[in-house]
Amino acid sequence: MLTGAQLHALADEFGDLLVDIVAGGNSLGFLAPFDHAEAAAWWRARAADVDAGRQLLLAVRQQGRLFGTVGVALTDKPNGRHRAEIVKLMVHSAARGLGLGRTLLAAAERAAVTHGVTLLVLDTETGSGAEGFYRAAGWTEVGTIPDFAADPQGVLRPTTLFYKRLARG
């Protein structure tokens, strides 16, 4: 788990990771061309949410390099404090297939439980490899929304919604 100060200090590494993800065809909310300065600035702007407790941020660093991250966006709505959203699960293209995605997702689920979360939600591009990844991790598919978000080239794509109930530790 990172603090806002740690995120700010590592924003350039987080920017490199985000650029790698978008260059690989995963939008995560961004369109091509997407440069490092823009990516690092986006991450720096998230530091306030981390420090305010609106987002939990986990990362995997090995040999001095950032290989993956995931966020848990908490809600401040009184009727929804039991739920959160998994956001920006990313594994660098050089580290795919090593189990880092599973490790990050499991760590995010545990962190959510420690913050009183019993229900997680997420969305992912329909037809992407992430759909099978989430199903294998015990997530339940809810449905699909057409034309939900643009891919990096600006083409509208559907998204698939998932949820997972968490047992309190």
Side-chain angles (χ1 to χ4, degrees), residues 8-136:
H8 201 274
L10 295 170
D12 284 329
E13 287 185 53
F14 275 85
D16 289 340
L17 175 62
L18 185 52
V19 167
D20 175 72
I21 298 301
V22 174
N26 303 291
S27 72
L28 290 172
F30 303 95
L31 299 173
F34 188 61
D35 68 25
H36 178 268
E38 185 181 1
W42 184 87
W43 280 109
R44 281 186 193 94
R46 307 284 76 73
D49 288 337
V50 171
D51 279 339
R54 291 184 293 268
Q55 182 168 331
L56 309 176
L57 185 66
L58 296 90
V60 172
R61 290 185 85 226
Q62 295 176 341
Q63 301 160 346
R65 183 173 176 196
L66 180 69
F67 282 108
T69 187
V70 64
V72 180
L74 303 169
T75 185
D76 60 354
K77 295 180 178 103
N79 71 343
R81 290 192 182 125
H82 67 286
R83 70 176 185 265
E85 181 180 3
I86 295 292
V87 294
K88 307 284 188 266
L89 175 57
M90 298 181 241
V91 174
H92 195 281
S93 60
R96 299 249 169 90
L98 302 176
L100 295 181
R102 285 188 305 276
T103 299
L104 283 163
L105 185 59
E109 291 172 5
R110 287 190 304 274
V113 168
T114 66
H115 284 77
V117 173
T118 58
L119 179 68
L120 285 171
V121 298
L122 65 80
D123 72 270
T124 193
E125 185 178 317
T126 304
S128 69
E131 280 186 300
F133 168 78
Y134 291 119
R135 284 186 195 101

